[in-house]
Amino acid sequence: TEHYYVQSFTSEVIDLLKDIWYPNGKKTVPFSLLPFVLTPICLAWWYQDDGHLKIEKNQVKKIILSTDGFSAAENEKLIESIYQLYKLEFSLDKQNRLILYDQPQIFYFVHLIKPYVHESMHRKIQVSSMNKKITAKRTTIYLPTSIPIKKPTRDIHKILERLPFLYTQLHDKTIYDMLFKELFPKLKIDKKSLKPYQIQLNVEQRQWLYKFKEITGLNMSQIVHLCAFISDDFSV
């Protein structure tokens, strides 16, 4: 029987990192380093190794990061560190793993790591194709009462005129980051406090809404709400 032995070159840097990550021989999180090393490429490496995209009935449900090797206290601190850096709201499940449920946040997480994901791991970032196309001509849009709507179809059509421009802006990483961190949180409103509007959507509007949802994971009402935030002279 043939045997193969592989050994890497020694490195003082690796020795240093081992001392940082494994003090006393036990793996721990070096929180003082996280603001400097927890970059999108680091998130991508971590996710490809220990992450999972949960899909049920062709719907994206959650992202899981296996962190059960750390203590619950470390994981809570890790959750806070990720939030401070990226505004991603992970939580802990019963297995002491980091879980991300929010759809727009899942899409944003994928946006962050996608440039660094190896092609063999693309199954872990296939979220866009899971969205159902928007086919209904008549639908209900839920908006806060602070947005003045007198004639629903007319007024919401006017708001949606900003959507093609906003869609092009999403392809600028700086703008997407800004929108996600500053405006997306304002879209998370309890449905009970929103007012429903029955409207008609034409084919072009449905196409733009679908394309926008494919990138952001926002629902139709959230997309309209976001458009209402954007003025005609919008810039970063």
Side-chain angles (χ1 to χ4, degrees), residues 26 38 78 98 106 109 115 138 145 202 226:
K26 179 177 173 57
L38 197 56
L78 186 55
L98 268 61
I106 290 173
F109 179 85
R138 189 167 185 82
T145 55
N202 60 41
L226 181 63

Side-chain angles (χ1 to χ4, degrees), residues 150-187:
K150 294 182 179 179
K151 294 185 177 181
T153 295
R154 182 202 66 183
D155 294 345
I156 291 175
H157 280 196
K158 184 66 177 177
I159 292 172
L160 285 174
E161 288 178 2
R162 303 166 188 169
L163 188 54
F165 167 75
L166 190 55
Y167 176 81
T168 62
Q169 296 300 297
L170 275 180
H171 292 82
D172 183 313
K173 181 183 181 302
T174 302
I175 294 178
Y176 191 173
D177 291 348
M178 183 277 292
L179 290 173
F180 178 80
K181 293 177 180 179
E182 296 184 16
L183 294 185
F184 278 32
K186 297 179 181 179
L187 306 177

